[in-house]
Amino acid sequence: MMVTNEKFLVKAPFYCREEFDYAVDVVLGEFLGLGWERIVSDNDAIMITTSSGAQTLRLNDDFFRRIYKSPLTTASLPELPLQEMEVKLGNTGLNLVEHTVPVLYGKPGLRRQDQNINIEVDIFGSVFFMLSRYEEAVVKEKDVHGRFPTKESVAYKGGFINRSLVDEYVEILWACLKALWPRVERKRRSYRLLLTHDVDHPFVAYGKSWAKILRNIGGDLVRRRELALPFNRIRCRMRNDPGIDPANTFGFLMDVSESYGVRSEFYFLVEHKVPLDGSSYSLKSMPITKLVADIHERGHRIGFHGSYSSFDRPEQIKMEFEQLVSVVSTRGINQETWGGRQHYLRFVNPITWQGWEDAGLDYDSTLGFPDTIGFRCGTCHEFNVFNIETKKKLHLRERPLVCMDVSLGNIDDPRTYSADLIERVVNVANLCKRFDGTFVLLWHNDHLITSAQRRLYCDIVESVI
């Protein structure tokens, strides 16, 4: 029997070594915490064994064969409609969402014969496909903001947008490993809630023109249906006091987080070159420097929010991030790690990731769907990203965004709020709990200006903690 500190031997063909090693290292090394060593094999299949060779786990390598022959082409994408595989493996306690899983690469099939198990699904290739965002480098269609459209994703077309399919594949692999080597142990993880807040509009009345305030008052009465909000806007504008601005909900956000023992992260814009870059605030202005200091003093984190036009301009990403670090360092704020998110979730593969890497950022949380909740990367675990052009694993880690306020519907309208809405969020959060992952929630400070919005936020946090 295998002891827990023995390495697995992974035998694989010579081709696509960088891509394959990345996928195996994420699955076996990072997600499961197991040691492994690669051995080049003449076989087309992938074989996992140990030095004794008494047991063997065989896997398909359909994806890697495809990209070896036709890299970054539509021919290398999964074939739709996807097949489903019913998973049965004795009394192994498989941790799956349903009794079947969609098959991205390979074909349905899982069987055991004595000390050998054969998996016809290409688990490692499918994991690479999802984590590397391979399809986003192949599919040319974009939405009005230059983003990869949700409806073009295999997750949407294949009906698994609300399933963390990568994590289910890892569970299938783990069940097979455990069946062959009962003494092997996996890395322990625990569920975590990560509350993040993009600071697009720190203030909605302070410093604004009366014309803009009057337009917003119309929205308060018609859409938001909050009678007190117009008076709060007028009072803030007349007193010229950012402390009573309706969007100054930062204290509220930190209070909620602290009540549950959670630390919030606030991502600040640096550049405001186009109208879509939110309010034109300066990090050096007194209200913002005071806000940043307060966030830091209360034990929460400052983060980077790349401007609208920076996502495909690495030099701009670097310049903006350096400005952020420079400004906050003058306030005595020095964090060991830095992360954040691109504005409007704009991302181009692999330029954005490489830009963040080169700028010196440690983690990104851009990769979520802009118009629905779910698992864009197929996982609720953070992971080191991979540059599909240079074929290198980066230092940068992705913390996949699972849920965003604006993806829940028109949250300006209190009629949007319902028990069904909370249930949708809870169902996805429960998947994160099921796989001991991280539920990353994005909620903007200016989407808490009504009592109904604040109540919704509190109900969601309380339900997913």
Side-chain angles (χ1 to χ4, degrees):
M1 284 189 178
M2 177 183 176
V3 295
T4 58
N5 61 351
E6 185 177 352
K7 282 186 178 181
F8 281 107
L9 303 179
V10 182
K11 301 178 180 180
F14 68 91
Y15 47 79
C16 301
R17 176 159 188 158
E18 295 87 355
E19 293 90 342
F20 178 77
D21 285 0
Y22 166 78
V24 175
D25 198 47
V26 170
V27 173
L28 292 185
E30 186 171 350
F31 285 4
L32 293 176
L34 305 174
W36 68 281
E37 178 183 344
R38 179 195 170 109
I39 298 175
V40 177
S41 169
D42 294 332
N43 296 323
D44 285 338
I46 299 164
M47 314 286 283
I48 300 179
T49 186
T50 61
S51 57
S52 68
Q55 303 98 341
T56 301
L57 174 59
R58 182 187 182 279
L59 300 98
N60 196 308
D61 76 334
D62 177 36
F63 171 78
F64 298 110
R65 274 186 277 116
R66 289 196 196 192
I67 67 170
Y68 178 62
K69 296 176 181 178
S70 303
L72 297 175
T73 62
T74 55
S76 61
L77 295 176
E79 298 172 6
L80 297 170
L82 299 176
Q83 298 183 77
E84 294 277 332
M85 180 177 77
E86 185 173 8
V87 184
K88 293 181 179 180
L89 194 64
N91 298 318
T92 55
L94 274 165
N95 184 22
L96 300 179
V97 176
E98 299 178 12
H99 70 283
T100 64
V101 295
V103 176
L104 298 183
Y105 291 96
K107 59 185 179 181
L110 173 61
R111 64 182 183 275
R112 178 172 185 174
Q113 184 176 6
D114 300 325
Q115 294 301 300
N116 301 291
I117 293 178
N118 183 39
I119 305 176
E120 294 291 352
V121 177
D122 183 357
I123 288 181
F124 292 122
S126 300
V127 168
F128 180 88
F129 172 82
M130 292 299 297
L131 297 189
S132 70
R133 303 313 303 136
Y134 181 88
E135 63 183 327
E136 299 190 29
V138 176
V139 177
K140 303 306 179 185
E141 285 79 5
K142 303 293 180 183
D143 70 5
V144 295
H145 295 292
R147 302 174 300 198
F148 177 68
T150 300
K151 291 185 177 181
E152 291 296 326
S153 68
V154 172
Y156 177 85
K157 294 178 178 179
F160 63 90
I161 202 166
N162 288 324
R163 292 177 67 170
S164 54
L165 187 61
V166 166
D167 300 323
E168 294 191 70
Y169 279 167
V170 171
E171 291 302 315
I172 293 171
L173 180 65
W174 169 248
C176 293
L177 292 171
K178 191 70 173 176
L180 293 176
W181 296 279
R183 291 176 57 189
V184 68
E185 298 295 333
R186 69 190 295 178
K187 179 168 67 176
R188 294 186 179 275
R189 295 176 176 235
S190 58
Y191 170 74
R192 184 166 77 104
L193 171 63
L194 178 58
L195 300 176
T196 65
H197 317 286
D198 295 354
V199 185
D200 302 337
H201 304 279
F203 309 113
V204 293
Y206 171 74
K208 306 301 179 184
S209 69
W210 280 110
K212 185 173 182 60
I213 288 175
L214 290 174
R215 287 197 300 271
N216 287 334
I217 285 175
D220 295 338
L221 298 175
V222 177
R223 296 196 312 274
R224 288 177 280 272
R225 304 187 179 194
E226 182 89 355
L227 295 179
L229 188 52
F231 297 101
N232 293 336
R233 290 184 193 271
I234 293 171
R235 184 165 61 102
C236 173
R237 181 62 177 83
M238 293 184 67
R239 294 186 181 182
N240 199 34
D241 182 1
I244 58 174
D245 190 283
N248 190 347
T249 58
F250 302 99
F252 167 81
L253 286 167
M254 289 186 281
D255 288 342
V256 172
S257 295
E258 290 164 12
S259 69
Y260 293 104
V262 176
R263 183 171 61 177
S264 274
E265 301 195 355
F266 297 86
Y267 304 152
F268 286 87
L269 284 163
V270 176
E271 290 288 328
H272 307 271
K273 294 183 177 181
V274 298
L276 290 174
D277 273 329
S279 299
S280 184
Y281 64 88
S282 170
L283 290 175
K284 297 180 180 180
S285 67
M286 184 58 69
I288 299 298
T289 56
K290 183 179 182 300
L291 170 60
V292 168
D294 188 36
I295 291 171
H296 178 68
E297 288 169 5
R298 291 182 62 167
H300 301 274
R301 291 186 60 83
I302 308 298
F304 173 65
H305 199 31
S307 68
Y308 184 85
S309 59
S310 69
F311 77 115
D312 60 351
R313 303 176 183 177
E315 70 286 348
Q316 188 174 337
I317 292 173
K318 181 177 176 64
M319 179 269 293
E320 291 180 13
F321 175 58
E322 289 177 346
Q323 282 188 35
L324 173 67
V325 174
S326 175
V327 170
V328 301
S329 65
T330 62
R331 306 291 299 182
I333 300 172
N334 297 288
Q335 298 178 162
E336 290 186 4
T337 57
W338 288 91
R341 178 179 295 118
Q342 282 293 139
H343 193 36
Y344 270 77
L345 306 187
R346 300 187 87 196
F347 170 84
V348 59
N349 189 14
I351 295 173
T352 310
W353 271 341
Q354 191 64 56
W356 279 54
E357 171 90 355
D358 294 342
L361 284 137
D362 299 288
Y363 61 90
D364 166 66
S365 189
T366 297
L367 290 190
F369 294 113
D371 47 9
T372 188
I373 59 178
F375 302 94
R376 182 169 169 180
C377 298
T379 182
C380 55
H381 294 288
E382 69 173 74
F383 57 92
N384 284 92
V385 305
F386 185 87
N387 185 319
I388 57 174
E389 290 186 355
T390 64
K391 298 187 176 185
K392 290 183 179 180
K393 177 181 178 180
L394 304 185
H395 164 80
L396 182 74
R397 294 177 68 78
E398 183 64 33
R399 294 179 177 176
L401 174 63
V402 179
C403 178
M404 176 171 59
D405 48 14
V406 296
S407 65
L408 298 175
N410 180 15
I411 61 170
D412 271 348
D413 187 346
R415 293 172 297 183
T416 302
Y417 311 159
S418 66
D420 290 341
L421 179 63
I422 299 291
E423 185 179 5
R424 281 178 56 208
V425 179
V426 169
N427 287 341
V428 174
N430 283 344
L431 287 180
C432 299
K433 292 180 180 180
R434 184 187 194 114
F435 297 111
D436 295 320
T438 301
F439 181 71
V440 181
L441 174 66
L442 161 56
W443 206 280
H444 297 80
N445 63 288
D446 58 310
H447 291 162
L448 295 166
I449 62 177
T450 69
S451 57
Q453 289 173 336
R454 291 189 292 273
R455 184 172 64 253
L456 174 63
Y457 180 74
C458 289
D459 288 347
I460 287 177
V461 173
E462 182 179 18
S463 300
V464 301
I465 193 69

